[in-house]
């Protein structure tokens, strides 16, 4: 184990504890991963994100096989599919965050892009958010659907389940998934009311200034 891996283990545990403390995930739900050279670290199965031990994180190889640590989250295949499709990904966060899950249950949202462009930071950090159809936990069709979406999107919302967000590092992935949860909350607060979203021209300007 080198110093960089040690620092990454600490960072995963600090971010997971922060997400848990602020109610962004609950019980033993949610998982956080980060690439570490040719390998990657993931939170273990059944673990409470508020109480992780850096030394017991699952260390996996490029094929998703356990190298050391506790057995990985059962949702390991979601992370593995995204790393495979998006080689520049440095970290992935998946949560069962309440407002994002609530939005995934609404029958009138677009499956191609669930949330409207309400704020600049949402457009900059998430952009388009496709809805991945519902599959039971453990169904490998979910991994196939995520793999397919990940070739085109760094963020996606699993129907009746929760968001998955990839980024170049842990800080960027955390910022993005928090922005998504805050925007889902805003959307629910305003649901049923007429709102002014950003215009297509304003969104295009943001994509040009801040490419994701
Ligand atoms: Zn999940």
């Amino acid at each position: 184990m080198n110093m960089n891996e040690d620092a990454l283990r600490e960072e995963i545990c600090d971010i997971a504890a922060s997400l848990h403390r602020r109610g962004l995930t609950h019980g033993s739900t949610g998982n956080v991963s980060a690439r570490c050279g040719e390998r990657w670290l993931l939170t273990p199965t059944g673990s409470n994100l508020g109480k992780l031990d850096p030394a017991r994180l699952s260390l996996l190889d490029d094929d998703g096989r356990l190298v050391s640590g506790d057995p990985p989250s059962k949702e390991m295949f979601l992370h593995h599919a995204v790393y495979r499709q998006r080689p520049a990904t440095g970290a992935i966060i998946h949560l069962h965050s309440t407002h994002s899950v609530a939005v995934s249950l609404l029958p009138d949202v677009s499956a191609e892009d669930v949330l409207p462009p309400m704020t600049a930071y949402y457009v900059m950090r998430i952009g388009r958010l496709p809805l991945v159809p519902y599959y039971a936990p453990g169904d490998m069709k979910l991994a196939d659907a995520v793999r397919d979406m990940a070739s085109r999107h760094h963020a996606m919302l699993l129907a009746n389940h929760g968001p998955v967000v990839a980024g170049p590092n842990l800080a960027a992935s955390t910022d993005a998934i928090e922005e998504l949860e805050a925007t889902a909350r805003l959307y629910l607060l305003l649901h049923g009311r007429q709102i002014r979203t950003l215009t297509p021209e304003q969104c295009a300007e943001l994509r040009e200034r801040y490419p994701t």
Side-chain angles (χ1 to χ4, degrees), residues 140-163:
M140 291 314 284
K141 284 188 194 142
L142 181 57
D144 293 342
V146 166
R147 188 176 299 111
D148 180 51
M149 290 285 186
S151 60
R152 283 163 286 134
H153 301 280
H154 74 284
M156 61 196 86
L157 183 59
L158 312 183
N160 305 64
H161 185 166

PDB file of all heavy atoms in Angstrom, residues 140-163:
ATOM      1  N   MET A 140     -28.612  -8.654 -13.794  1.00  0.00           N
ATOM      2  CA  MET A 140     -27.508  -8.171 -14.619  1.00  0.00           C
ATOM      3  C   MET A 140     -27.977  -7.314 -15.795  1.00  0.00           C
ATOM      4  O   MET A 140     -27.172  -6.641 -16.438  1.00  0.00           O
ATOM      5  CB  MET A 140     -26.627  -9.334 -15.095  1.00  0.00           C
ATOM      6  CG  MET A 140     -25.822  -9.987 -13.967  1.00  0.00           C
ATOM      7  SD  MET A 140     -24.990  -8.791 -12.857  1.00  0.00           S
ATOM      8  CE  MET A 140     -23.627  -8.298 -13.890  1.00  0.00           C
ATOM      9  N   LYS A 141     -29.292  -7.313 -16.051  1.00  0.00           N
ATOM     10  CA  LYS A 141     -29.812  -6.404 -17.079  1.00  0.00           C
ATOM     11  C   LYS A 141     -29.602  -4.948 -16.642  1.00  0.00           C
ATOM     12  O   LYS A 141     -29.504  -4.053 -17.478  1.00  0.00           O
ATOM     13  CB  LYS A 141     -31.307  -6.658 -17.300  1.00  0.00           C
ATOM     14  CG  LYS A 141     -31.595  -7.906 -18.099  1.00  0.00           C
ATOM     15  CD  LYS A 141     -33.073  -7.981 -18.427  1.00  0.00           C
ATOM     16  CE  LYS A 141     -33.442  -9.370 -18.909  1.00  0.00           C
ATOM     17  NZ  LYS A 141     -34.743  -9.802 -18.421  1.00  0.00           N
ATOM     18  N   LEU A 142     -29.539  -4.727 -15.327  1.00  0.00           N
ATOM     19  CA  LEU A 142     -29.276  -3.371 -14.842  1.00  0.00           C
ATOM     20  C   LEU A 142     -27.849  -2.957 -15.212  1.00  0.00           C
ATOM     21  O   LEU A 142     -27.621  -1.832 -15.664  1.00  0.00           O
ATOM     22  CB  LEU A 142     -29.496  -3.301 -13.319  1.00  0.00           C
ATOM     23  CG  LEU A 142     -29.279  -1.925 -12.671  1.00  0.00           C
ATOM     24  CD1 LEU A 142     -30.179  -0.861 -13.297  1.00  0.00           C
ATOM     25  CD2 LEU A 142     -29.547  -1.998 -11.163  1.00  0.00           C
ATOM     26  N   ALA A 143     -26.896  -3.866 -15.049  1.00  0.00           N
ATOM     27  CA  ALA A 143     -25.505  -3.568 -15.438  1.00  0.00           C
ATOM     28  C   ALA A 143     -25.424  -3.271 -16.936  1.00  0.00           C
ATOM     29  O   ALA A 143     -24.729  -2.338 -17.358  1.00  0.00           O
ATOM     30  CB  ALA A 143     -24.596  -4.739 -15.085  1.00  0.00           C
ATOM     31  N   ASP A 144     -26.152  -4.046 -17.737  1.00  0.00           N
ATOM     32  CA  ASP A 144     -26.145  -3.821 -19.193  1.00  0.00           C
ATOM     33  C   ASP A 144     -26.707  -2.441 -19.519  1.00  0.00           C
ATOM     34  O   ASP A 144     -26.164  -1.719 -20.364  1.00  0.00           O
ATOM     35  CB  ASP A 144     -26.982  -4.891 -19.904  1.00  0.00           C
ATOM     36  CG  ASP A 144     -26.355  -6.272 -19.788  1.00  0.00           C
ATOM     37  OD1 ASP A 144     -25.149  -6.348 -19.482  1.00  0.00           O
ATOM     38  OD2 ASP A 144     -27.083  -7.275 -19.980  1.00  0.00           O
ATOM     39  N   ALA A 145     -27.818  -2.077 -18.852  1.00  0.00           N
ATOM     40  CA  ALA A 145     -28.454  -0.780 -19.121  1.00  0.00           C
ATOM     41  C   ALA A 145     -27.532   0.364 -18.706  1.00  0.00           C
ATOM     42  O   ALA A 145     -27.401   1.365 -19.411  1.00  0.00           O
ATOM     43  CB  ALA A 145     -29.789  -0.690 -18.384  1.00  0.00           C
ATOM     44  N   VAL A 146     -26.855   0.205 -17.563  1.00  0.00           N
ATOM     45  CA  VAL A 146     -25.934   1.245 -17.078  1.00  0.00           C
ATOM     46  C   VAL A 146     -24.735   1.363 -18.021  1.00  0.00           C
ATOM     47  O   VAL A 146     -24.295   2.462 -18.360  1.00  0.00           O
ATOM     48  CB  VAL A 146     -25.485   0.937 -15.625  1.00  0.00           C
ATOM     49  CG1 VAL A 146     -24.297   1.788 -15.224  1.00  0.00           C
ATOM     50  CG2 VAL A 146     -26.648   1.152 -14.659  1.00  0.00           C
ATOM     51  N   ARG A 147     -24.217   0.220 -18.477  1.00  0.00           N
ATOM     52  CA  ARG A 147     -23.073   0.226 -19.400  1.00  0.00           C
ATOM     53  C   ARG A 147     -23.446   0.993 -20.677  1.00  0.00           C
ATOM     54  O   ARG A 147     -22.676   1.815 -21.168  1.00  0.00           O
ATOM     55  CB  ARG A 147     -22.678  -1.215 -19.732  1.00  0.00           C
ATOM     56  CG  ARG A 147     -21.382  -1.326 -20.525  1.00  0.00           C
ATOM     57  CD  ARG A 147     -20.975  -2.768 -20.747  1.00  0.00           C
ATOM     58  NE  ARG A 147     -20.749  -3.472 -19.506  1.00  0.00           N
ATOM     59  CZ  ARG A 147     -21.524  -4.452 -19.011  1.00  0.00           C
ATOM     60  NH1 ARG A 147     -22.587  -4.853 -19.672  1.00  0.00           N
ATOM     61  NH2 ARG A 147     -21.242  -5.015 -17.875  1.00  0.00           N
ATOM     62  N   ASP A 148     -24.633   0.735 -21.166  1.00  0.00           N
ATOM     63  CA  ASP A 148     -25.106   1.393 -22.383  1.00  0.00           C
ATOM     64  C   ASP A 148     -25.204   2.914 -22.180  1.00  0.00           C
ATOM     65  O   ASP A 148     -24.714   3.694 -22.996  1.00  0.00           O
ATOM     66  CB  ASP A 148     -26.466   0.792 -22.768  1.00  0.00           C
ATOM     67  CG  ASP A 148     -27.015   1.429 -24.019  1.00  0.00           C
ATOM     68  OD1 ASP A 148     -26.266   1.485 -25.010  1.00  0.00           O
ATOM     69  OD2 ASP A 148     -28.177   1.884 -24.009  1.00  0.00           O
ATOM     70  N   MET A 149     -25.793   3.339 -21.071  1.00  0.00           N
ATOM     71  CA  MET A 149     -25.951   4.778 -20.784  1.00  0.00           C
ATOM     72  C   MET A 149     -24.593   5.445 -20.545  1.00  0.00           C
ATOM     73  O   MET A 149     -24.376   6.595 -20.924  1.00  0.00           O
ATOM     74  CB  MET A 149     -26.785   4.985 -19.514  1.00  0.00           C
ATOM     75  CG  MET A 149     -28.227   4.620 -19.653  1.00  0.00           C
ATOM     76  SD  MET A 149     -29.125   5.855 -20.582  1.00  0.00           S
ATOM     77  CE  MET A 149     -30.791   5.221 -20.396  1.00  0.00           C
ATOM     78  N   ALA A 150     -23.689   4.722 -19.880  1.00  0.00           N
ATOM     79  CA  ALA A 150     -22.410   5.323 -19.466  1.00  0.00           C
ATOM     80  C   ALA A 150     -21.538   5.704 -20.653  1.00  0.00           C
ATOM     81  O   ALA A 150     -20.671   6.569 -20.528  1.00  0.00           O
ATOM     82  CB  ALA A 150     -21.654   4.373 -18.543  1.00  0.00           C
ATOM     83  N   SER A 151     -21.768   5.076 -21.811  1.00  0.00           N
ATOM     84  CA  SER A 151     -20.961   5.453 -22.968  1.00  0.00           C
ATOM     85  C   SER A 151     -21.272   6.888 -23.397  1.00  0.00           C
ATOM     86  O   SER A 151     -20.449   7.544 -24.021  1.00  0.00           O
ATOM     87  CB  SER A 151     -21.191   4.476 -24.124  1.00  0.00           C
ATOM     88  OG  SER A 151     -22.545   4.487 -24.490  1.00  0.00           O
ATOM     89  N   ARG A 152     -22.460   7.387 -23.022  1.00  0.00           N
ATOM     90  CA  ARG A 152     -22.851   8.737 -23.425  1.00  0.00           C
ATOM     91  C   ARG A 152     -23.051   9.712 -22.264  1.00  0.00           C
ATOM     92  O   ARG A 152     -23.125  10.914 -22.491  1.00  0.00           O
ATOM     93  CB  ARG A 152     -24.164   8.662 -24.220  1.00  0.00           C
ATOM     94  CG  ARG A 152     -23.977   8.177 -25.657  1.00  0.00           C
ATOM     95  CD  ARG A 152     -25.287   7.725 -26.255  1.00  0.00           C
ATOM     96  NE  ARG A 152     -25.698   6.451 -25.698  1.00  0.00           N
ATOM     97  CZ  ARG A 152     -26.925   6.155 -25.272  1.00  0.00           C
ATOM     98  NH1 ARG A 152     -27.871   7.040 -25.351  1.00  0.00           N
ATOM     99  NH2 ARG A 152     -27.201   4.969 -24.781  1.00  0.00           N
ATOM    100  N   HIS A 153     -23.176   9.205 -21.046  1.00  0.00           N
ATOM    101  CA  HIS A 153     -23.525  10.081 -19.912  1.00  0.00           C
ATOM    102  C   HIS A 153     -22.665   9.775 -18.691  1.00  0.00           C
ATOM    103  O   HIS A 153     -22.445   8.607 -18.374  1.00  0.00           O
ATOM    104  CB  HIS A 153     -24.997   9.874 -19.524  1.00  0.00           C
ATOM    105  CG  HIS A 153     -25.952  10.167 -20.635  1.00  0.00           C
ATOM    106  ND1 HIS A 153     -26.324  11.455 -20.965  1.00  0.00           N
ATOM    107  CD2 HIS A 153     -26.584   9.353 -21.502  1.00  0.00           C
ATOM    108  CE1 HIS A 153     -27.163  11.407 -21.987  1.00  0.00           C
ATOM    109  NE2 HIS A 153     -27.334  10.154 -22.341  1.00  0.00           N
ATOM    110  N   HIS A 154     -22.242  10.839 -17.972  1.00  0.00           N
ATOM    111  CA  HIS A 154     -21.499  10.614 -16.719  1.00  0.00           C
ATOM    112  C   HIS A 154     -22.438  10.542 -15.518  1.00  0.00           C
ATOM    113  O   HIS A 154     -22.023  10.165 -14.427  1.00  0.00           O
ATOM    114  CB  HIS A 154     -20.443  11.706 -16.509  1.00  0.00           C
ATOM    115  CG  HIS A 154     -21.023  13.029 -16.088  1.00  0.00           C
ATOM    116  ND1 HIS A 154     -21.668  13.866 -16.956  1.00  0.00           N
ATOM    117  CD2 HIS A 154     -21.070  13.631 -14.891  1.00  0.00           C
ATOM    118  CE1 HIS A 154     -22.090  14.934 -16.307  1.00  0.00           C
ATOM    119  NE2 HIS A 154     -21.736  14.820 -15.043  1.00  0.00           N
ATOM    120  N   ALA A 155     -23.700  10.944 -15.724  1.00  0.00           N
ATOM    121  CA  ALA A 155     -24.683  10.896 -14.630  1.00  0.00           C
ATOM    122  C   ALA A 155     -25.943  10.226 -15.137  1.00  0.00           C
ATOM    123  O   ALA A 155     -26.334  10.432 -16.287  1.00  0.00           O
ATOM    124  CB  ALA A 155     -24.997  12.307 -14.155  1.00  0.00           C
ATOM    125  N   MET A 156     -26.560   9.413 -14.302  1.00  0.00           N
ATOM    126  CA  MET A 156     -27.825   8.762 -14.682  1.00  0.00           C
ATOM    127  C   MET A 156     -28.639   8.503 -13.427  1.00  0.00           C
ATOM    128  O   MET A 156     -28.097   8.457 -12.311  1.00  0.00           O
ATOM    129  CB  MET A 156     -27.552   7.464 -15.449  1.00  0.00           C
ATOM    130  CG  MET A 156     -26.784   6.441 -14.688  1.00  0.00           C
ATOM    131  SD  MET A 156     -26.110   5.155 -15.771  1.00  0.00           S
ATOM    132  CE  MET A 156     -24.567   5.909 -16.303  1.00  0.00           C
ATOM    133  N   LEU A 157     -29.951   8.346 -13.624  1.00  0.00           N
ATOM    134  CA  LEU A 157     -30.850   8.103 -12.501  1.00  0.00           C
ATOM    135  C   LEU A 157     -31.507   6.741 -12.703  1.00  0.00           C
ATOM    136  O   LEU A 157     -32.167   6.511 -13.718  1.00  0.00           O
ATOM    137  CB  LEU A 157     -31.909   9.220 -12.448  1.00  0.00           C
ATOM    138  CG  LEU A 157     -32.902   9.176 -11.295  1.00  0.00           C
ATOM    139  CD1 LEU A 157     -32.197   9.238  -9.940  1.00  0.00           C
ATOM    140  CD2 LEU A 157     -33.886  10.341 -11.415  1.00  0.00           C
ATOM    141  N   LEU A 158     -31.289   5.825 -11.755  1.00  0.00           N
ATOM    142  CA  LEU A 158     -31.895   4.497 -11.847  1.00  0.00           C
ATOM    143  C   LEU A 158     -33.332   4.608 -11.338  1.00  0.00           C
ATOM    144  O   LEU A 158     -33.557   5.067 -10.201  1.00  0.00           O
ATOM    145  CB  LEU A 158     -31.115   3.488 -10.998  1.00  0.00           C
ATOM    146  CG  LEU A 158     -29.582   3.474 -11.141  1.00  0.00           C
ATOM    147  CD1 LEU A 158     -28.994   2.353 -10.286  1.00  0.00           C
ATOM    148  CD2 LEU A 158     -29.168   3.318 -12.595  1.00  0.00           C
ATOM    149  N   ALA A 159     -34.299   4.203 -12.158  1.00  0.00           N
ATOM    150  CA  ALA A 159     -35.708   4.340 -11.786  1.00  0.00           C
ATOM    151  C   ALA A 159     -36.011   3.575 -10.502  1.00  0.00           C
ATOM    152  O   ALA A 159     -35.539   2.448 -10.305  1.00  0.00           O
ATOM    153  CB  ALA A 159     -36.591   3.818 -12.924  1.00  0.00           C
ATOM    154  N   ASN A 160     -36.771   4.209  -9.603  1.00  0.00           N
ATOM    155  CA  ASN A 160     -37.197   3.601  -8.324  1.00  0.00           C
ATOM    156  C   ASN A 160     -36.000   3.118  -7.507  1.00  0.00           C
ATOM    157  O   ASN A 160     -36.099   2.122  -6.782  1.00  0.00           O
ATOM    158  CB  ASN A 160     -38.170   2.440  -8.570  1.00  0.00           C
ATOM    159  CG  ASN A 160     -39.361   2.845  -9.407  1.00  0.00           C
ATOM    160  OD1 ASN A 160     -39.211   3.209 -10.578  1.00  0.00           O
ATOM    161  ND2 ASN A 160     -40.536   2.813  -8.838  1.00  0.00           N
ATOM    162  N   HIS A 161     -34.868   3.827  -7.617  1.00  0.00           N
ATOM    163  CA  HIS A 161     -33.652   3.343  -6.975  1.00  0.00           C
ATOM    164  C   HIS A 161     -32.724   4.508  -6.554  1.00  0.00           C
ATOM    165  O   HIS A 161     -32.608   4.765  -5.361  1.00  0.00           O
ATOM    166  CB  HIS A 161     -32.958   2.378  -7.951  1.00  0.00           C
ATOM    167  CG  HIS A 161     -31.756   1.706  -7.406  1.00  0.00           C
ATOM    168  ND1 HIS A 161     -31.174   0.617  -8.018  1.00  0.00           N
ATOM    169  CD2 HIS A 161     -31.003   1.976  -6.330  1.00  0.00           C
ATOM    170  CE1 HIS A 161     -30.125   0.230  -7.317  1.00  0.00           C
ATOM    171  NE2 HIS A 161     -29.993   1.040  -6.288  1.00  0.00           N
ATOM    172  N   GLY A 162     -32.116   5.243  -7.490  1.00  0.00           N
ATOM    173  CA  GLY A 162     -31.252   6.359  -7.097  1.00  0.00           C
ATOM    174  C   GLY A 162     -30.240   6.722  -8.165  1.00  0.00           C
ATOM    175  O   GLY A 162     -30.101   6.031  -9.177  1.00  0.00           O
ATOM    176  N   PRO A 163     -29.493   7.828  -7.929  1.00  0.00           N
ATOM    177  CA  PRO A 163     -28.544   8.317  -8.935  1.00  0.00           C
ATOM    178  C   PRO A 163     -27.171   7.631  -8.887  1.00  0.00           C
ATOM    179  O   PRO A 163     -26.731   7.152  -7.846  1.00  0.00           O
ATOM    180  CB  PRO A 163     -28.382   9.799  -8.561  1.00  0.00           C
ATOM    181  CG  PRO A 163     -28.643   9.851  -7.096  1.00  0.00           C
ATOM    182  CD  PRO A 163     -29.619   8.750  -6.793  1.00  0.00           C
TER     183      PRO A 163
END
